[in-house]
Amino acid sequence: MPSKPRVIYWFRTDLRLHDSPALHAALDLKPDCLYPIWCWDPHYVYRARVGPNRWQFLLDCQSDLSSSITKLNKKSKLFVVREAPQTVLPKLFKAWNISHLVFERDTDPYAKERDAKVMELAKEAGVEVVATRHGRTLYDPDDLVKANGGKPTMSITQVQHVRRSLRAPVV
């Protein structure tokens, strides 16, 4: 294992740099090397029922993100891979001598299953996983469900009511 962290930062649903708790967690490791990646997960690519405008928006966001990364470090860019994270990440762990994988936790059922598999594979490869609780929402969705008696909130009124029992978000 390398003496200084070598980190993969796995971009998923949160394609921003300026206020990403997960990205801050990756940078807090003071890595020797940080690889920002995006995986075109076949689960979403082939099952998503979206139009061409939404696909184009995602491509534009990836391009903008890559440009933003390059502005911060001329030697870096967003690595976009066309393979399921469950198969490509273990290959990258080995090829890049990765010590840490960092990402923002997702609450979607498929994502939870995928992430559990990726975390298992990371552990087998000796890679430490840092999965931040949330970043794109003020409150952790799982905390809202728990505070609402195990049921998802279905309206903003329910969210406003339930949030009173939660700690104030850190912004």
Side-chain angles (χ1 to χ4, degrees):
M1 207 38 60
S3 59
K4 286 195 77 173
R6 296 178 59 84
V7 178
I8 287 179
Y9 179 73
W10 181 15
F11 281 97
R12 292 131 61 91
T13 57
D14 192 356
L15 301 180
R16 60 198 169 127
L17 297 177
H18 71 283
D19 64 346
S20 167
L23 183 56
H24 283 276
L27 294 173
D28 285 347
L29 294 169
K30 300 189 181 350
D32 182 46
C33 195
L34 186 136
Y35 296 94
I37 71 162
W38 165 274
C39 298
W40 278 105
D41 189 334
H43 174 83
Y44 292 115
V45 172
Y46 299 113
R47 290 186 173 99
R49 293 177 43 138
V50 299
N53 290 342
R54 186 166 178 189
W55 284 117
Q56 187 60 54
F57 177 75
L58 180 55
L59 293 170
D60 291 345
C61 288
Q62 289 174 339
S63 178
D64 182 63
L65 176 61
S66 190
S67 295
S68 296
I69 290 168
T70 301
K71 283 179 190 170
L72 295 172
N73 180 350
K74 299 248 184 275
K75 295 180 181 180
S76 190
K77 64 180 176 179
L78 178 66
F79 292 90
V80 179
V81 293
R82 293 187 331 173
E83 191 171 338
Q86 304 91 313
T87 57
V88 75
L89 288 173
K91 294 174 192 175
L92 297 178
F93 297 157
K94 186 175 180 180
W96 293 343
N97 195 25
I98 296 299
S99 63
H100 293 76
L101 171 66
V102 182
F103 59 89
E104 180 185 320
R105 199 179 54 128
D106 199 338
T107 57
D108 164 295
Y110 164 75
K112 285 182 173 183
E113 183 180 312
R114 175 202 59 211
D115 294 351
K117 181 64 178 173
V118 167
M119 288 189 281
E120 177 186 319
L121 294 165
K123 184 177 180 181
E124 289 172 9
V127 172
E128 184 178 332
V129 175
V130 178
T132 63
R133 295 221 2 121
H134 62 92
R136 64 180 194 259
T137 58
L138 280 175
Y139 294 96
D140 185 297
D142 289 338
D143 290 346
L144 285 172
V145 169
K146 185 177 178 183
N148 196 40
K151 299 176 187 164
T153 52
M154 302 303 284
S155 68
I156 190 63
T157 304
Q158 283 182 324
V159 171
Q160 290 170 333
H161 176 75
V162 170
R163 74 158 176 86
R164 291 184 186 118
S165 66
L166 300 174
R167 283 187 282 161
V170 178
V171 286

